[in-house]
Amino acid sequence: MPDDEWGTGMDQTDTDAGADLEAAASGASLRRTEARSAQIEREIADDPSRFRMLTGDRPTGNLHIGHYFGSLHNRVRLQNAGIDTFVVIADYQVITDRDGTGPIRERVLSLIADYLAVGIDPARTTIFAHSMVPALNQLMLPFLSLVTDSELRRNPTVKAELEASGDRPMSGLLLTYPVHQAADILFCKANIVPVGKDQLPHLEQARVIARRFDERFGRAVPTAPVFPAAEALLSSGALILGMDGSKMSKSRGNTIELGMDSDTTARLIKRAVTDSDRHITYDPDNRPEVSNLVKLAALCLERDPVEVAAEIGDGGGGGLKRLVTAAVNEYFAPIRARRAEVAADEGYLLEVLRTGNQRANEIADATLDDVRAAMGMVY
Ligand code: TRP
């Protein structure tokens, strides 16, 4: 067999997807993704059984109301629409931007309690831990052969995370972040991934890997491609800022966690930043802090923010905060009660995880068999 039949590098036509990855979250590409997301929503309403969805979180701290309105709420909606749903607890990802795993066991269990409290149903959603699914992780090696280092270095999500981690050097794990995340998505052959704009380059990389895998190896197998092209479902979630008006994040100490009690919630909202205009309006561009609180109340009350603001009128920051506090505490009361109940039952949390791990392993083993077959590694 001539040497070149084996191929010596990337396919000539597909050497570097770096530019596509950089463009994924902007301009025409973003608009296409938005239009396609709207269409997927219609297809889901029509026939949810055509879809498998995967999402995930790093177990780095407790989930907060920003996570809830930004993504959890949407996941539960899609699960309830009848989509086969997978949630990866991305425990290995914890060390992409920090040295230690922290109190990881406690955090994993707490994350599961958060999931169950908001309505993720283990009968319909497979909740599993990344580290517990060896066959998923074994996909990394063939996938790594399908990407170039320049592509990874140019990935905007990798760049952003490197910048956010201050003086830390780029670790191999951070550099390959898009590849292990592709393995998370592709192991279960998910065809939709609800994401925010910032994660679009990752998803594009997963699509590139799926396509290249088929081009390189899959053609030996006369059936369908091994991996489907996963599509982004741009989340319809709302962005809620922290109580100081900056991004809601544990490290800034500006979060309201799902598991907090109503007194703590009231105290945090009382300290929230507002402005000096007593007349409350919903004007996100000019009054970001006030509008953030109005929006939060509106989401909890399932009402229009402009109307909510008009109703507070000249009630000032005090009136606004009283309304927000009541709305948040009422909305989250059943979620918090459910959270307290499940969090007290470690046996149940572990059972949910073990059941999910088992299903994820069965699927990952089958996928790895497909991969080995496509690559001719059947011994
Ligand atoms: N990177 C995601 C985060 O930090 C978590 C995650 C891991 C994920 N694997 C995934 C999200 C696959 C979507 C798809 O927040």
Side-chain angles (χ1 to χ4, degrees):
M1 188 178 289
D3 258 6
D4 60 2
E5 221 176 304
W6 292 97
T8 45
M10 291 285 159
D11 301 76
Q12 290 305 304
T13 51
D14 192 17
T15 37
D16 188 355
D20 287 352
L21 300 183
E22 282 168 314
S26 60
S29 173
L30 176 60
R31 282 191 299 279
R32 259 196 316 277
T33 309
E34 281 166 350
R36 180 63 192 135
S37 289
Q39 162 127 33
I40 293 171
E41 288 284 358
R42 289 190 290 273
E43 291 174 13
I44 291 168
D46 216 37
D47 181 8
S49 71
R50 288 175 42 206
F51 295 94
R52 177 171 279 178
M53 165 172 108
L54 179 122
T55 59
D57 299 285
R58 294 181 194 189
T60 51
N62 297 330
L63 295 184
H64 52 64
I65 61 175
H67 293 126
Y68 180 81
F69 287 115
S71 71
L72 295 169
H73 188 63
N74 193 42
R75 282 184 206 173
V76 173
R77 176 182 70 86
L78 293 163
Q79 165 203 273
N80 293 347
I83 295 177
D84 187 17
T85 302
F86 285 69
V87 177
V88 55
I89 299 179
D91 47 4
Y92 273 128
Q93 270 193 21
V94 168
I95 48 171
T96 44
D97 65 348
R98 60 188 80 194
D99 294 328
T101 51
I104 188 94
R105 183 176 193 278
E106 197 183 308
R107 285 181 174 164
V108 167
L109 293 175
S110 154
L111 190 55
I112 299 170
D114 285 332
Y115 288 156
L116 299 174
V118 300
I120 291 183
D121 171 6
R124 288 180 283 178
T125 292
T126 302
I127 302 171
F128 69 98
H130 186 187
S131 64
M132 295 302 287
V133 187
L136 182 169
N137 288 289
Q138 201 176 325
L139 297 176
M140 266 301 270
L141 293 178
F143 286 2
L144 280 169
S145 79
L146 300 171
V147 298
T148 63
D149 85 309
S150 76
E151 219 164 59
L152 295 174
R153 282 178 206 284
R154 284 159 69 191
N155 184 300
T157 317
V158 170
K159 283 205 283 199
E161 201 150 319
L162 182 66
E163 270 157 36
S165 63
D167 293 336
R168 295 175 61 88
M170 174 91 87
S171 72
L173 190 68
L174 177 52
L175 182 64
T176 56
Y177 177 16
V179 189
H180 44 88
Q181 192 138 304
D184 297 348
I185 296 167
L186 297 178
F187 96 92
C188 66
K189 305 189 179 182
N191 54 3
I192 50 171
V193 183
V195 286
K197 266 194 292 193
D198 60 314
Q199 296 267 322
L200 283 176
H202 266 347
L203 199 61
E204 187 54 31
Q205 183 74 73
R207 293 161 62 85
V208 166
I209 288 173
R211 190 177 67 230
R212 286 184 186 156
F213 185 89
D214 187 51
E215 284 165 3
R216 289 271 195 94
F217 310 116
R219 294 201 176 147
V221 186
T223 52
V226 174
F227 297 108
E231 295 193 276
L233 191 58
L234 276 174
S235 73
S236 49
L239 179 67
I240 293 293
L241 302 172
M243 293 301 106
D244 56 358
S246 72
K247 182 179 180 217
M248 189 178 280
S249 126
K250 192 176 178 72
S251 58
R252 296 173 206 251
N254 64 2
T255 67
I256 298 174
E257 294 173 9
L258 292 181
M260 278 175 175
D261 63 27
S262 46
D263 288 348
T264 311
T265 302
R267 213 165 39 244
L268 289 166
I269 295 174
K270 202 165 196 163
R271 290 207 321 246
V273 176
T274 53
D275 58 33
S276 55
D277 185 348
R278 279 199 62 76
H279 186 71
I280 299 303
T281 52
Y282 182 63
D283 180 1
D285 288 336
N286 298 307
R287 304 181 73 186
E289 297 92 354
V290 163
S291 301
N292 182 54
L293 291 172
V294 171
K295 189 197 231 175
L296 176 54
L299 285 166
C300 292
L301 298 166
E302 292 168 16
R303 290 186 52 195
D304 178 62
V306 176
E307 275 173 33
V308 170
E311 214 165 277
I312 305 165
D314 289 324
L320 171 61
K321 289 176 182 181
R322 273 193 300 280
L323 182 83
V324 177
T325 303
V328 170
N329 281 339
E330 189 175 322
Y331 186 90
F332 286 99
I335 290 175
R336 287 167 167 174
R338 171 86 180 128
R339 194 185 187 289
E341 192 189 321
V342 291
D345 189 351
E346 186 177 299
Y348 177 59
L349 299 176
L350 286 170
E351 183 190 308
V352 166
L353 182 59
R354 285 175 186 151
T355 309
N357 289 342
Q358 192 181 341
R359 175 149 191 255
N361 271 299
E362 282 161 15
I363 291 169
D365 288 344
T367 300
L368 188 57
D369 280 346
D370 294 346
V371 163
R372 290 197 184 109
M375 298 176 77
M377 303 195 304
V378 183
Y379 317 118

